[in-house]
Amino acid sequence: MKIDIQKIRQDFPILSRQVNSKPLIYLDNGATAQKPKVVIDAITNYYTNQNANIHRGVHKLSQDITTAYENARITIQKHLNAHHSSEIIFTNGTTESINLVASSFGKKFIKAGDEIIVSEMEHHSNILPWQMLSEEKGAVLKVIPINEKGELIIEEYEKLLSKKTKIVAITHVSNTLGTINPIKKIIALAHQKNIPVLVDGAQAIPHMKVDVQDLDADFYCFSGHKVYGPTGIGILYGKENRLKGLPNYQVGGGTIKTVSFKKTEYADLPLRFEAGTPHIEGGIGLAVALDYINKIGLDTIQSYEHELLEHTTEKINQIKDLRIIGTAKEKASVISFVVNGLHPFDIGTILDHLGIAVRTGHHCTQPLMEHFSIPGTVRVSFSFYNTMEEADELVKGIEKAISMLK
């Protein structure tokens, strides 16, 4: 199936606007993706026609929206190919999902001298919770190194796995490098020693099919806003037996069966991990976003984005003094680069004046910047609604920025 770019672009209202009197070229999809009108309409419809609280109301509005919300959970279950809808926990994003597991798993299973494995390319959100847990418990944080292409050194990972390892937390796709990690192999190696694995899938879900049963992931998490859904909504998938073994993360309304001052009985999965009134319209909007990309087809999306990546990489590599950071064989549609003698912020500012939105800085991966001995990069992250013409305008913009700054 071939993507009809112009038809797709009409689904995204913001893509028709101008920035600094130039047509917007939005290439910061790794930070957040734009929203199709069907998602915007779903949120508007919620507040216009459906607004009510869920699970505890007997009136029609509450009953109807409860059904819609739980149907959204089923949509997400099917998208991930989870075994049960109860394995889908709504959170406010990837960051909370990781914190939930680190807090609950750590409370029960981590003690002094235990080891937790992360990688050198992790987003801060998949470093800090484990670092904090290690400090609190007296555990040791071990780090999988990368090579100069930005690929994990799997042999070193195997050496790190030991009887002391209690959990591995790893990104599926690097937000800075675009590296697609061999997650299935990483999980299999850990499972040989009965070690659970949490996967940060924030940058994978928008670009490829993810089957949590095929991967055999113990925990998998992502954020709605990166996959064309609303902000403030995220997902934690966990194997049923893993989630049942975790103590509560937060407690309050919705997490209980009965409460008394003598004893409280907590709810079954998934409600036990969903304290308080949830982001109802966010869950519904996320399900609509997943339906939207599934109609296009994730294989189609991945193929087209790869064409964008190869096309742009070839042209960018011809620019003098420019160096791409992250040249893994398996990459998602992300290009990070530096230009000798120039600060990424200055390049990004000039691109913005041309209507081109990119990300500059360390991208919440400071240990990765330290590895490459750079302060930051300019990051270009593509979506299926970007065009080859926009990629060419980006290259012209980079060349113009360099000529102005040097």
Side-chain angles (χ1 to χ4, degrees):
M1 178 180 171
K2 190 172 176 62
I3 283 186
D4 185 343
I5 296 294
Q6 294 312 314
K7 184 176 183 297
I8 283 172
R9 287 178 66 84
Q10 291 172 14
D11 294 337
F12 292 82
I14 200 170
L15 297 182
S16 63
R17 69 161 290 183
Q18 293 198 333
V19 171
N20 294 320
S21 301
K22 303 282 187 181
L24 170 64
I25 297 177
Y26 186 78
L27 301 174
D28 193 20
N29 297 286
T32 196
Q34 298 302 339
K35 319 306 171 193
K37 193 170 184 298
V38 288
V39 171
I40 299 167
D41 288 347
I43 295 169
T44 301
N45 182 59
Y46 169 78
Y47 282 115
T48 304
N49 298 306
Q50 300 174 298
N51 184 42
N53 216 324
I54 59 172
H55 293 148
R56 295 180 292 280
V58 296
H59 59 84
K60 181 170 175 55
L61 279 180
S62 179
Q63 294 293 311
D64 286 352
I65 199 60
T66 296
T67 299
Y69 188 71
E70 291 305 325
N71 283 342
R73 194 190 304 273
I74 292 169
T75 295
I76 294 155
Q77 170 209 346
K78 291 178 178 176
H79 184 82
L80 293 176
N81 193 32
H83 193 59
H84 302 291
S85 64
S86 59
E87 296 176 317
I88 303 299
I89 310 297
F90 282 112
T91 67
N92 66 25
T94 306
T95 299
E96 188 187 27
S97 297
I98 297 169
N99 273 275
L100 189 163
V101 176
S103 175
S104 296
F105 185 91
K107 188 185 297 183
K108 186 171 182 178
F109 296 109
I110 301 295
K111 63 183 186 302
D114 287 342
E115 295 176 356
I116 299 164
I117 295 177
V118 297
S119 85
E120 200 172 9
M121 67 173 69
E122 297 307 313
H123 189 282
H124 294 165
S125 294
N126 203 30
I127 297 174
L128 301 182
W130 306 109
Q131 190 176 58
M132 182 180 290
L133 175 62
S134 297
E135 291 169 354
E136 288 175 355
K137 294 283 191 171
V140 180
L141 194 65
K142 297 281 188 174
V143 182
I144 310 166
I146 62 171
N147 61 27
E148 289 311 298
K149 290 183 177 180
E151 300 165 326
L152 293 176
I153 303 174
I154 297 298
E155 297 78 15
E156 294 301 317
Y157 166 61
E158 292 186 72
K159 292 176 186 176
L160 291 175
L161 293 168
S162 73
K163 291 181 180 179
K164 292 183 178 181
T165 309
K166 298 304 177 185
I167 193 166
V168 175
I170 190 82
T171 186
H172 196 159
V173 174
S174 167
N175 71 303
T176 298
L177 306 172
T179 304
I180 302 173
N181 286 321
I183 287 297
K184 192 170 181 177
K185 181 176 182 179
I186 288 166
I187 292 170
L189 288 168
H191 284 180
Q192 287 175 10
K193 297 181 183 293
N194 297 314
I195 300 164
V197 179
L198 174 141
V199 182
D200 172 357
Q203 299 292 336
I205 289 289
H207 303 296
M208 64 188 70
K209 284 182 179 177
V210 172
D211 183 330
V212 292
Q213 290 193 69
D214 179 62
L215 291 176
D216 201 21
D218 299 281
F219 304 102
Y220 197 100
C221 47
F222 69 94
S223 298
H225 71 100
K226 295 184 190 294
V227 68
Y228 312 100
T231 58
I233 189 74
I235 296 299
L236 169 64
Y237 157 81
K239 286 181 179 176
E240 185 177 46
N241 66 319
R242 291 292 184 189
L243 291 172
K244 282 184 174 179
L246 297 184
N248 288 40
Y249 173 56
Q250 296 175 328
V251 291
T255 64
I256 56 87
K257 287 183 179 177
T258 61
V259 175
S260 76
F261 287 114
K262 290 183 179 179
K263 181 175 175 59
T264 293
E265 185 181 4
Y266 288 101
D268 297 327
L269 295 174
L271 300 184
R272 185 160 63 86
F273 289 106
E274 296 180 358
T277 298
H279 187 5
I280 301 167
E281 71 279 24
I284 292 168
L286 172 55
V288 171
L290 294 178
D291 281 341
Y292 177 84
I293 62 171
N294 282 325
K295 284 177 184 175
I296 299 169
L298 276 160
D299 288 340
T300 301
I301 287 170
Q302 187 171 13
S303 175
Y304 175 69
E305 289 179 346
H306 186 69
E307 289 177 26
L308 276 171
L309 175 69
E310 288 195 320
H311 174 85
T312 312
T313 300
E314 182 183 355
K315 294 205 167 190
I316 279 183
N317 271 331
Q318 295 171 19
I319 299 175
K320 186 181 177 183
D321 294 331
L322 184 149
R323 175 167 66 107
I324 292 177
I325 305 297
T327 55
K329 183 179 179 182
E330 299 294 330
K331 277 190 69 170
S333 53
V334 174
I335 301 173
S336 279
F337 66 88
V338 293
V339 177
N340 292 342
L342 300 183
H343 197 284
F345 179 83
D346 294 330
I347 298 171
T349 300
I350 292 175
L351 290 174
D352 178 57
H353 283 297
L354 300 172
I356 303 171
V358 297
R359 180 71 39 163
T360 64
H362 54 66
H363 318 300
C364 294
T365 54
Q366 286 183 300
L368 191 58
M369 298 299 111
E370 187 177 337
H371 172 92
F372 287 103
S373 301
I374 54 177
T377 72
V378 179
R379 185 187 70 187
V380 176
S381 46
F382 291 106
S383 163
F384 58 84
Y385 50 57
N386 292 124
T387 67
M388 295 294 175
E389 291 76 18
E390 287 182 323
D392 292 341
E393 287 300 314
L394 166 72
V395 174
K396 291 178 188 175
I398 296 169
E399 291 172 335
K400 183 172 183 177
I402 293 172
S403 68
M404 291 175 65
L405 293 168
K406 283 210 168 186

